[in-house]
Amino acid sequence: VYCRKVYDIPEMSRTSQGRALANLLSFQTGEKIAGVLAVKDFEKEEHYLMFATALGTVKKTALSAYGNIRVSGIIAITLDEGDALIDVAVTSGKDHVMLGTKSGLAIRFEESEVRAMGRGAGGVTGARFKREGDEVVAMLVVHEGVNEGIKVLTGCANGFGKRTPLEDYPTKGRGTRGVINIDANDRNGEVVGMKLISDTDEVMFITHKGIIMRTRVNEIRETGRNAAGVKLIALDDNDQLVAMARLD
């Protein structure tokens, strides 16, 4: 974990190349950013950081444990060889967590199934995989009492995806294989991301070649969990969808 105040980071125009994060943070060799969080108060009572890794491990640690961060960073989670952190989110202790895999599965469980651990702990099993080579690519946190009108937006590498009601995803428990989210077939490609959205939101789709498309959520047809999905963005040859961002 690294921490910088927002005003330490220069503001730039949309078309600028950006500034290397290595100039702001003391990265170790081969280290990459897995998630960015805006935190105003590290001393919030009963708030946690929930971590998810590519091989299906989840870990929960009190937010206050990360209050005193050095310039060189501090240990956030101990990873097994070959594993990598894919996302981190702030939780209340009473939320639900959903993990999405690149082969199109979704695992939803109650946050209370993950006990709080110290910073150096490795975590527990959050997802098990049906297919060899599958991995977690997205983590969603469903906050307590915030369910009505919420949809799950899933995006696949070939520009296809879908908008599905949150209630279509049952709570199966931590460490299960979950349920089908979308068919990651040759047309759709592998899942690259999932977002919780409402009908009044907008989303941005970002491609490998640096193209951004912005659209209203209600322009994406709503479908069930077992549907094939619809086209989210038209891609140029040899381009792929790599990320999505929600604008509320």
Side-chain angles (χ1 to χ4, degrees):
V1 171
Y2 299 89
C3 185
R4 289 299 294 259
K5 291 182 171 60
V6 171
Y7 54 72
D8 289 339
I9 303 172
E11 184 176 338
M12 303 179 188
S13 68
R14 179 175 58 83
T15 55
S16 66
Q17 290 186 338
R19 182 178 177 184
L21 283 171
N23 295 332
L24 301 172
L25 306 171
S26 300
F27 280 179
Q28 299 178 29
T29 303
E31 194 170 13
K32 297 189 297 183
I33 292 288
V36 178
L37 294 176
V39 179
K40 292 183 179 179
D41 182 9
F42 281 95
E43 299 305 320
K44 272 188 173 182
E45 292 186 5
E46 298 183 353
H47 276 69
Y48 302 89
L49 289 186
M50 179 70 72
F51 299 85
T53 77
L55 297 185
T57 296
V58 292
K59 176 196 167 184
K60 182 173 73 174
T61 302
L63 180 61
S64 59
Y66 301 94
N68 298 317
I69 299 181
R70 298 183 293 271
V71 174
S72 58
I74 58 175
I75 293 173
I77 181 173
T78 298
L79 297 171
D80 292 334
E81 186 175 354
D83 203 357
L85 184 67
I86 62 103
D87 204 359
V88 58
V90 177
T91 63
S92 69
K94 302 176 182 178
D95 301 325
H96 281 204
V97 177
M98 187 184 300
L99 304 177
T101 78
K102 69 179 183 182
S103 72
L105 298 179
I107 302 94
R108 180 176 177 178
F109 55 89
E110 295 181 6
E111 180 190 347
S112 58
E113 294 187 40
V114 183
R115 63 180 177 84
M117 308 174 190
R119 286 194 298 105
V124 295
T125 300
R128 300 185 189 278
F129 305 122
K130 291 181 180 180
R131 302 179 185 177
E132 186 177 352
D134 199 5
E135 61 184 41
V136 175
V137 295
M139 177 179 69
L140 305 178
V141 173
V142 183
H143 295 296
E144 183 187 24
V146 184
N147 291 290
E148 187 174 351
I150 300 299
K151 310 293 195 306
V152 177
L153 179 65
T154 302
C156 296
N158 293 339
F160 290 85
K162 62 182 179 179
R163 177 171 64 113
T164 305
L166 178 62
E167 56 264 27
D168 284 8
Y169 296 85
T171 303
K172 290 291 186 178
R174 179 180 67 80
T176 65
R177 291 179 170 84
V179 297
I180 294 174
N181 175 32
I182 192 171
D183 188 359
N185 51 27
D186 291 340
R187 185 199 74 153
N188 291 343
E190 294 179 341
V191 175
V192 298
M194 297 168 65
K195 295 292 180 183
L196 291 178
I197 55 172
S198 67
D199 292 345
T200 57
D201 292 337
E202 296 183 355
V203 289
M204 282 186 173
F205 300 110
I206 302 98
T207 78
H208 177 74
K209 291 185 176 180
I211 303 300
I212 289 181
M213 187 191 80
R214 179 174 177 175
T215 187
R216 295 181 180 89
V217 163
N218 58 17
E219 295 179 359
I220 303 171
R221 181 164 57 89
E222 184 177 319
T223 60
R225 253 196 324 107
N226 294 318
V230 299
K231 179 169 285 190
L232 300 177
I233 179 173
L235 298 172
D236 295 335
D237 292 341
N238 300 317
D239 202 2
Q240 287 188 323
L241 180 66
V242 295
M244 306 184 296
R246 167 182 170 265
L247 307 174
D248 60 9

